[in-house]
């Protein structure tokens, strides 16, 4: 589990947002209706950052399952803004939802693409009866998205698209990004 109790907010009458500090590879709720979101790349065969940590913790079966996701064009299994699901294998969470955020400097419409990544991850969760979803800060590492702008997109998109998901968690690695997320949630989700 993530390492602290974090900050809690109401997204709607039926959905809750929790912002936690910790390692997303260790997060789970019940091991059956829970999923962590992997900030992957379009090939979906692993990488650095959270993606690398998730593949290491899940074991090699995760890469095999990703490899079996059909390519939509050469080298692309999950286009930017879309989401695909696999089992979690050795992870404590039952599923992994792989999504791809935009590279901040390279995309012309980064906010829409980042919003799509959150929205499609929640849609895939709903379609697979997932009740609990944990997100990292998609695009905020290797892909260079500024934390404050990313938090606005992340929290406002989740507020709009959380229906049928009981709990959405953010599991954030470091104090600086955690603090930005909590401040933004206080601004966008007044209780
Ligand atoms: N738990 C929670 N958060 C983490 C963890 C962890 N174990 N490890 C890193 N983070 P990044 P991106 C944070 O770079 O920017 C990969 O190579 C990290 O501090 O993982 O979407 C992929 O294959 C940062 O705040 O994802 C892609 O090529 C956040 O997770 C590319 O990086 C996201 O950082 C994706 O880049």
């Amino acid at each position: 589990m993530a390492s602290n109790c974090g900050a809690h907010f109401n997204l709607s009458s039926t959905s809750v947002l929790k912002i936690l500090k910790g390692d997303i590879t260790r997060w789970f709720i019940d091991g059956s209706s829970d999923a962590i979101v992997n900030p992957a790349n379009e090939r979906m065969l692993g990488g650095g950052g959270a993606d690398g940590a998730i593949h290491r913790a899940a074991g090699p079966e995760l890469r095999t399952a990703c490899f079996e996701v059909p390519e939509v064009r050469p080298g692309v299994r999950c286009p930017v803004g879309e989401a695909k699901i696999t089992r979690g294998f050795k992870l404590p969470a039952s599923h992994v939802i792989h999504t791809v955020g935009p590279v901040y400097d390279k995309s012309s419409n980064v906010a829409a693409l980042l919003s799509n990544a959150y929205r499609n991850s929640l849609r895939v969760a709903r379609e697979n009866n997932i009740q609990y979803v944990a997100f990292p800060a998609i695009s905020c590492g290797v892909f260079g998205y500024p934390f404050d702008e990313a938090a606005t997109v992340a929290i406002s998109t989740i507020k709009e698209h959380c229906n049928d998901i009981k709990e959405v968690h953010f599991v954030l690695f470091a104090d600086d990004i955690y603090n930005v997320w909590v401040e933004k949630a206080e601004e966008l989700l007044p209780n």
Side-chain angles (χ1 to χ4, degrees):
M1 264 310 288
S3 61
N4 69 1
C5 309
H8 299 196
F9 301 86
N10 291 324
L11 288 162
S12 69
S13 57
T14 53
S15 300
V16 167
L17 173 71
K18 297 187 181 180
I19 304 176
L20 312 170
K21 231 182 303 174
D23 177 352
I24 202 164
T25 66
R26 300 179 63 191
W27 179 95
F28 72 104
I29 299 291
D30 60 7
S32 60
S33 65
D34 46 4
I36 64 169
V37 175
N38 179 19
N41 56 56
E42 290 187 320
R43 272 164 53 85
M44 267 183 70
L45 297 179
D51 190 10
I54 288 167
H55 274 268
R56 278 193 298 280
E61 288 160 299
L62 181 62
R63 193 175 190 278
T64 304
C66 287
F67 188 75
E68 285 166 4
V69 173
E71 289 183 331
V72 295
R73 51 180 191 272
V76 177
R77 292 182 178 77
C78 185
V80 176
E82 296 193 14
K84 308 283 179 184
I85 192 166
T86 65
R87 288 170 49 206
F89 301 100
K90 291 197 176 73
L91 290 163
S94 62
H95 291 84
V96 179
I97 296 171
H98 307 262
T99 192
V100 182
V103 177
Y104 187 72
D105 286 340
K106 282 198 188 145
S107 311
S108 53
N109 202 1
V110 281
L113 293 170
L114 185 61
S115 181
N116 287 348
Y118 282 102
R119 184 171 50 80
N120 283 320
S121 295
L122 292 171
R123 177 183 53 76
V124 165
R126 198 175 299 116
E127 287 169 359
N128 287 273
N129 300 314
I130 304 289
Q131 314 248 30
Y132 305 93
V133 181
F135 285 96
I138 298 167
S139 286
C140 287
V142 174
F143 284 176
Y145 215 107
F147 298 168
D148 188 75
E149 287 179 40
T152 301
V153 173
I155 294 165
S156 54
T157 303
I158 283 167
K159 183 183 177 187
E160 207 176 325
H161 297 282
C162 62
N163 48 308
D164 298 331
I165 308 286
K166 271 192 195 156
E167 294 186 11
V168 177
H169 294 195
F170 278 102
V171 182
L172 305 169
F173 224 28
D175 284 341
D176 52 356
I177 200 155
Y178 173 85
N179 293 336
V180 170
W181 244 253
V182 171
E183 274 173 32
K184 192 60 72 177
E186 285 168 349
E187 184 187 318
L188 297 175
L189 305 169
N191 282 316

